[in-house]
Structure formats: structure tokens, C-alpha cells
């Protein structure tokens, strides 16, 4: 199911991880240990984003900050995009991050 996301321009790796951060399945150019590290990074970053959104919501008393729908960490040559328990590694010059995030949102809803 998630393997079809590799067809998007720029997507190098796609992984599904459990709520505890363990890799469920992954496809792409990384070996399994690399995918395990990517899933662990995504799990920890997701927890950090959720904590920050919770604090922002609490201090501002404004609705709509939580739950975060996803996140992107952009580097010089590559980005990591995640929605729910899906994460992908993307090559920046080939990718449309808007398209990738929309596809991740759709795939995460299954």
C-alpha cells in the first residue's frame, strides 16, 4: 500500500512505524537499519511536535493547534516528511513537498 508513494518524484524512502516507533514496513534506497533509524527519528520528532503544539494551545487558549497534521524537516539536499505514522525521505530538487504531504495524508488515513 505505502510502496506506491515511491512513485512520487523525489521520494527515496517510505516507512510505516508503530506508535512505539518500531518499524512496521519500509521501502526505498536505505537498508533496514537505516529505515529503523528513520522510523525512530520520526517517532521522536512527532512526540516533540505534539508536545510543543500542546503547550502552545495551553498558553494561548486558542483552539486549532492540536493535533498537528504532519511535519517537515528540510535540509540542504533532502527533507524528511511525516504524517501520522508514515515518514518519507525526499530529495529536495525533484520533489513537490505539497504533493508529498497530500499523498502522505491520504495514505495515513487508511
Amino acid at each position: 500500500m505505502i510502496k506506491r508513494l515511491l512513485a512520487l518524484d523525489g521520494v527515496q524512502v517510505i516507512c510505516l512505524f508503530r506508535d512505539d516507533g518500531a518499524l512496521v514496513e519500509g521501502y526505498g534506497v536505505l537498508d533496514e537499519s537505516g529505515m529503523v533509524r528513520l522510523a525512530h527519528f520520526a517517532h521522536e520528532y512527532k512526540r516533540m511536535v505534539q508536545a510543543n503544539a500542546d503547550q502552545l494551545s495551553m498558553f494561548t487558549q486558542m483552539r486549532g493547534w492540536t493535533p498537528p497534521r504532519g511535519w517537515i524537516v528540510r535540509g540542504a539536499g533532502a527533507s524528511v516528511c511525516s504524517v501520522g505514522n508514515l515518514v518519507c525521505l525526499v530529495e529536495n530538487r525533484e520533489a513537490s513537498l505539497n504533493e508529498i504531504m497530500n499523498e502522505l495524508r491520504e495514505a495515513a488515513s487508511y
Side-chain angles (χ1 to χ4, degrees):
M1 174 65 185
I2 66 169
K3 195 172 189 177
R4 70 178 178 79
L5 295 171
L6 284 174
L8 297 172
D9 289 341
V11 175
Q12 302 295 307
V13 178
I14 181 74
C15 296
L16 174 66
F17 58 95
R18 292 192 319 226
D19 287 336
D20 65 357
L23 179 68
V24 174
E25 62 181 317
Y27 306 98
V29 297
L30 289 179
D31 61 4
E32 186 167 347
S33 67
M35 290 183 196
V36 166
R37 288 192 309 273
L38 179 61
H40 181 72
F41 167 77
H43 173 257
E44 293 299 322
Y45 201 86
K46 176 182 172 182
R47 292 180 64 201
M48 185 177 66
V49 167
Q50 181 65 56
N52 287 339
D54 288 345
Q55 287 180 354
L56 185 59
S57 180
M58 181 179 67
F59 290 129
T60 64
Q61 295 297 308
M62 293 173 59
R63 302 177 75 192
W65 296 107
T66 61
R69 291 186 208 156
W71 52 266
I72 299 171
V73 175
R74 186 170 172 89
S79 298
V80 177
C81 305
S82 183
V83 174
N85 286 5
L86 288 174
V87 61
C88 65
L89 179 64
V90 178
E91 188 175 329
N92 289 340
R93 63 188 158 140
E94 295 180 18
S96 164
L97 294 180
N98 287 333
E99 179 185 5
I100 290 169
M101 291 302 285
N102 287 335
E103 292 293 328
L104 281 172
R105 247 183 239 111
E106 183 179 328
S109 67
Y110 294 124

mmCIF file of all heavy atoms in Angstrom, residues 4-28:
data_model
loop_
_atom_site.group_PDB
_atom_site.id
_atom_site.type_symbol
_atom_site.label_atom_id
_atom_site.label_comp_id
_atom_site.label_asym_id
_atom_site.label_seq_id
_atom_site.Cartn_x
_atom_site.Cartn_y
_atom_site.Cartn_z
ATOM 1 N N ARG A 4 3.465 2.513 -3.077
ATOM 2 C CA ARG A 4 3.106 3.354 -4.226
ATOM 3 C C ARG A 4 3.606 4.791 -4.060
ATOM 4 O O ARG A 4 3.769 5.511 -5.032
ATOM 5 C CB ARG A 4 1.603 3.335 -4.469
ATOM 6 C CG ARG A 4 0.789 4.047 -3.407
ATOM 7 C CD ARG A 4 -0.708 4.038 -3.736
ATOM 8 N NE ARG A 4 -1.467 4.678 -2.710
ATOM 9 C CZ ARG A 4 -1.593 5.994 -2.559
ATOM 10 N NH1 ARG A 4 -0.993 6.807 -3.388
ATOM 11 N NH2 ARG A 4 -2.314 6.497 -1.580
ATOM 12 N N LEU A 5 3.889 5.213 -2.829
ATOM 13 C CA LEU A 5 4.393 6.564 -2.597
ATOM 14 C C LEU A 5 5.807 6.759 -3.163
ATOM 15 O O LEU A 5 6.229 7.888 -3.390
ATOM 16 C CB LEU A 5 4.358 6.903 -1.112
ATOM 17 C CG LEU A 5 2.958 6.980 -0.499
ATOM 18 C CD1 LEU A 5 3.036 7.103 1.006
ATOM 19 C CD2 LEU A 5 2.161 8.113 -1.085
ATOM 20 N N LEU A 6 6.514 5.656 -3.408
ATOM 21 C CA LEU A 6 7.839 5.754 -4.021
ATOM 22 C C LEU A 6 7.761 6.283 -5.449
ATOM 23 O O LEU A 6 8.755 6.756 -5.994
ATOM 24 C CB LEU A 6 8.538 4.392 -4.023
ATOM 25 C CG LEU A 6 9.112 3.919 -2.697
ATOM 26 C CD1 LEU A 6 9.636 2.506 -2.826
ATOM 27 C CD2 LEU A 6 10.202 4.856 -2.202
ATOM 28 N N ALA A 7 6.582 6.205 -6.053
ATOM 29 C CA ALA A 7 6.401 6.698 -7.422
ATOM 30 C C ALA A 7 6.388 8.225 -7.493
ATOM 31 O O ALA A 7 6.553 8.792 -8.573
ATOM 32 C CB ALA A 7 5.108 6.140 -8.017
ATOM 33 N N LEU A 8 6.206 8.895 -6.367
ATOM 34 C CA LEU A 8 6.224 10.365 -6.353
ATOM 35 C C LEU A 8 7.646 10.870 -6.593
ATOM 36 O O LEU A 8 8.617 10.305 -6.073
ATOM 37 C CB LEU A 8 5.714 10.889 -5.009
ATOM 38 C CG LEU A 8 4.271 10.554 -4.656
ATOM 39 C CD1 LEU A 8 3.977 10.980 -3.227
ATOM 40 C CD2 LEU A 8 3.319 11.212 -5.626
ATOM 41 N N ASP A 9 7.757 11.915 -7.370
ATOM 42 C CA ASP A 9 9.077 12.487 -7.679
ATOM 43 C C ASP A 9 9.806 12.874 -6.395
ATOM 44 O O ASP A 9 9.260 13.566 -5.535
ATOM 45 C CB ASP A 9 8.932 13.737 -8.554
ATOM 46 C CG ASP A 9 8.495 13.415 -9.969
ATOM 47 O OD1 ASP A 9 8.644 12.245 -10.379
ATOM 48 O OD2 ASP A 9 7.993 14.323 -10.650
ATOM 49 N N GLY A 10 11.046 12.426 -6.278
ATOM 50 C CA GLY A 10 11.899 12.799 -5.158
ATOM 51 C C GLY A 10 11.842 11.873 -3.957
ATOM 52 O O GLY A 10 12.732 11.912 -3.114
ATOM 53 N N VAL A 11 10.817 11.041 -3.835
ATOM 54 C CA VAL A 11 10.703 10.164 -2.663
ATOM 55 C C VAL A 11 11.739 9.050 -2.778
ATOM 56 O O VAL A 11 11.747 8.287 -3.743
ATOM 57 C CB VAL A 11 9.278 9.584 -2.513
ATOM 58 C CG1 VAL A 11 9.230 8.586 -1.366
ATOM 59 C CG2 VAL A 11 8.279 10.703 -2.288
ATOM 60 N N GLN A 12 12.625 8.979 -1.787
ATOM 61 C CA GLN A 12 13.691 7.976 -1.770
ATOM 62 C C GLN A 12 13.360 6.795 -0.874
ATOM 63 O O GLN A 12 13.729 5.668 -1.164
ATOM 64 C CB GLN A 12 15.001 8.622 -1.283
ATOM 65 C CG GLN A 12 15.444 9.803 -2.115
ATOM 66 C CD GLN A 12 15.809 9.401 -3.522
ATOM 67 O OE1 GLN A 12 16.609 8.501 -3.720
ATOM 68 N NE2 GLN A 12 15.219 10.048 -4.505
ATOM 69 N N VAL A 13 12.667 7.078 0.236
ATOM 70 C CA VAL A 13 12.344 6.048 1.227
ATOM 71 C C VAL A 13 10.975 6.355 1.805
ATOM 72 O O VAL A 13 10.654 7.523 2.038
ATOM 73 C CB VAL A 13 13.375 6.027 2.387
ATOM 74 C CG1 VAL A 13 13.010 5.002 3.437
ATOM 75 C CG2 VAL A 13 14.774 5.793 1.865
ATOM 76 N N ILE A 14 10.190 5.324 2.046
ATOM 77 C CA ILE A 14 8.905 5.465 2.752
ATOM 78 C C ILE A 14 8.838 4.391 3.828
ATOM 79 O O ILE A 14 9.193 3.238 3.568
ATOM 80 C CB ILE A 14 7.689 5.383 1.789
ATOM 81 C CG1 ILE A 14 6.382 5.565 2.535
ATOM 82 C CG2 ILE A 14 7.700 4.094 0.993
ATOM 83 C CD1 ILE A 14 6.090 6.950 2.981
ATOM 84 N N CYS A 15 8.444 4.760 5.027
ATOM 85 C CA CYS A 15 8.371 3.822 6.156
ATOM 86 C C CYS A 15 7.067 4.016 6.915
ATOM 87 O O CYS A 15 6.576 5.138 7.052
ATOM 88 C CB CYS A 15 9.509 4.044 7.140
ATOM 89 S SG CYS A 15 11.151 3.725 6.485
ATOM 90 N N LEU A 16 6.568 2.915 7.434
ATOM 91 C CA LEU A 16 5.440 2.905 8.361
ATOM 92 C C LEU A 16 5.970 2.424 9.697
ATOM 93 O O LEU A 16 6.698 1.424 9.750
ATOM 94 C CB LEU A 16 4.342 1.971 7.849
ATOM 95 C CG LEU A 16 3.153 1.729 8.768
ATOM 96 C CD1 LEU A 16 2.348 3.011 8.954
ATOM 97 C CD2 LEU A 16 2.271 0.623 8.206
ATOM 98 N N PHE A 17 5.640 3.138 10.772
ATOM 99 C CA PHE A 17 6.114 2.738 12.094
ATOM 100 C C PHE A 17 4.948 2.671 13.069
ATOM 101 O O PHE A 17 3.904 3.283 12.867
ATOM 102 C CB PHE A 17 7.217 3.682 12.602
ATOM 103 C CG PHE A 17 6.833 5.127 12.688
ATOM 104 C CD1 PHE A 17 6.372 5.669 13.879
ATOM 105 C CD2 PHE A 17 6.944 5.967 11.585
ATOM 106 C CE1 PHE A 17 6.019 7.011 13.964
ATOM 107 C CE2 PHE A 17 6.607 7.308 11.663
ATOM 108 C CZ PHE A 17 6.140 7.829 12.855
ATOM 109 N N ARG A 18 5.144 1.875 14.124
ATOM 110 C CA ARG A 18 4.111 1.729 15.165
ATOM 111 C C ARG A 18 4.158 2.916 16.116
ATOM 112 O O ARG A 18 5.057 3.744 16.058
ATOM 113 C CB ARG A 18 4.345 0.443 15.967
ATOM 114 C CG ARG A 18 4.121 -0.810 15.194
ATOM 115 C CD ARG A 18 4.069 -2.038 16.082
ATOM 116 N NE ARG A 18 5.078 -2.015 17.131
ATOM 117 C CZ ARG A 18 5.863 -3.039 17.443
ATOM 118 N NH1 ARG A 18 5.768 -4.160 16.789
ATOM 119 N NH2 ARG A 18 6.738 -2.941 18.408
ATOM 120 N N ASP A 19 3.183 2.976 17.003
ATOM 121 C CA ASP A 19 3.107 4.069 17.970
ATOM 122 C C ASP A 19 4.291 4.097 18.934
ATOM 123 O O ASP A 19 4.547 5.114 19.570
ATOM 124 C CB ASP A 19 1.806 4.003 18.765
ATOM 125 C CG ASP A 19 0.610 4.404 17.932
ATOM 126 O OD1 ASP A 19 0.782 5.141 16.938
ATOM 127 O OD2 ASP A 19 -0.509 3.976 18.264
ATOM 128 N N ASP A 20 5.011 2.991 19.056
ATOM 129 C CA ASP A 20 6.203 2.972 19.908
ATOM 130 C C ASP A 20 7.478 3.262 19.120
ATOM 131 O O ASP A 20 8.568 3.232 19.670
ATOM 132 C CB ASP A 20 6.323 1.644 20.651
ATOM 133 C CG ASP A 20 6.545 0.455 19.727
ATOM 134 O OD1 ASP A 20 6.552 0.625 18.490
ATOM 135 O OD2 ASP A 20 6.702 -0.664 20.254
ATOM 136 N N GLY A 21 7.350 3.530 17.816
ATOM 137 C CA GLY A 21 8.499 3.879 16.990
ATOM 138 C C GLY A 21 9.123 2.716 16.241
ATOM 139 O O GLY A 21 10.041 2.922 15.448
ATOM 140 N N ALA A 22 8.648 1.494 16.466
ATOM 141 C CA ALA A 22 9.214 0.327 15.784
ATOM 142 C C ALA A 22 8.791 0.317 14.312
ATOM 143 O O ALA A 22 7.650 0.635 13.980
ATOM 144 C CB ALA A 22 8.752 -0.961 16.466
ATOM 145 N N LEU A 23 9.719 -0.045 13.454
ATOM 146 C CA LEU A 23 9.464 -0.115 12.022
ATOM 147 C C LEU A 23 8.496 -1.255 11.721
ATOM 148 O O LEU A 23 8.700 -2.382 12.169
ATOM 149 C CB LEU A 23 10.774 -0.338 11.274
ATOM 150 C CG LEU A 23 10.686 -0.468 9.753
ATOM 151 C CD1 LEU A 23 10.276 0.855 9.123
ATOM 152 C CD2 LEU A 23 12.016 -0.943 9.192
ATOM 153 N N VAL A 24 7.436 -0.968 10.971
ATOM 154 C CA VAL A 24 6.494 -1.992 10.522
ATOM 155 C C VAL A 24 6.887 -2.462 9.125
ATOM 156 O O VAL A 24 7.038 -3.653 8.874
ATOM 157 C CB VAL A 24 5.040 -1.462 10.522
ATOM 158 C CG1 VAL A 24 4.090 -2.481 9.922
ATOM 159 C CG2 VAL A 24 4.616 -1.075 11.925
ATOM 160 N N GLU A 25 7.039 -1.510 8.209
ATOM 161 C CA GLU A 25 7.499 -1.819 6.855
ATOM 162 C C GLU A 25 8.162 -0.593 6.265
ATOM 163 O O GLU A 25 7.853 0.538 6.644
ATOM 164 C CB GLU A 25 6.358 -2.301 5.965
ATOM 165 C CG GLU A 25 5.251 -1.296 5.747
ATOM 166 C CD GLU A 25 4.126 -1.821 4.864
ATOM 167 O OE1 GLU A 25 4.414 -2.462 3.838
ATOM 168 O OE2 GLU A 25 2.960 -1.581 5.216
ATOM 169 N N GLY A 26 9.071 -0.831 5.342
ATOM 170 C CA GLY A 26 9.754 0.262 4.694
ATOM 171 C C GLY A 26 10.259 -0.143 3.329
ATOM 172 O O GLY A 26 10.577 -1.313 3.093
ATOM 173 N N TYR A 27 10.316 0.832 2.426
ATOM 174 C CA TYR A 27 10.754 0.593 1.057
ATOM 175 C C TYR A 27 11.619 1.749 0.607
ATOM 176 O O TYR A 27 11.396 2.886 1.009
ATOM 177 C CB TYR A 27 9.545 0.482 0.116
ATOM 178 C CG TYR A 27 8.542 -0.543 0.553
ATOM 179 C CD1 TYR A 27 7.400 -0.170 1.262
ATOM 180 C CD2 TYR A 27 8.731 -1.889 0.287
ATOM 181 C CE1 TYR A 27 6.479 -1.101 1.681
ATOM 182 C CE2 TYR A 27 7.813 -2.838 0.701
ATOM 183 C CZ TYR A 27 6.686 -2.441 1.400
ATOM 184 O OH TYR A 27 5.780 -3.383 1.814
ATOM 185 N N GLY A 28 12.591 1.460 -0.237
ATOM 186 C CA GLY A 28 13.410 2.513 -0.802
ATOM 187 C C GLY A 28 14.881 2.208 -0.773
ATOM 188 O O GLY A 28 15.290 1.049 -0.686
#
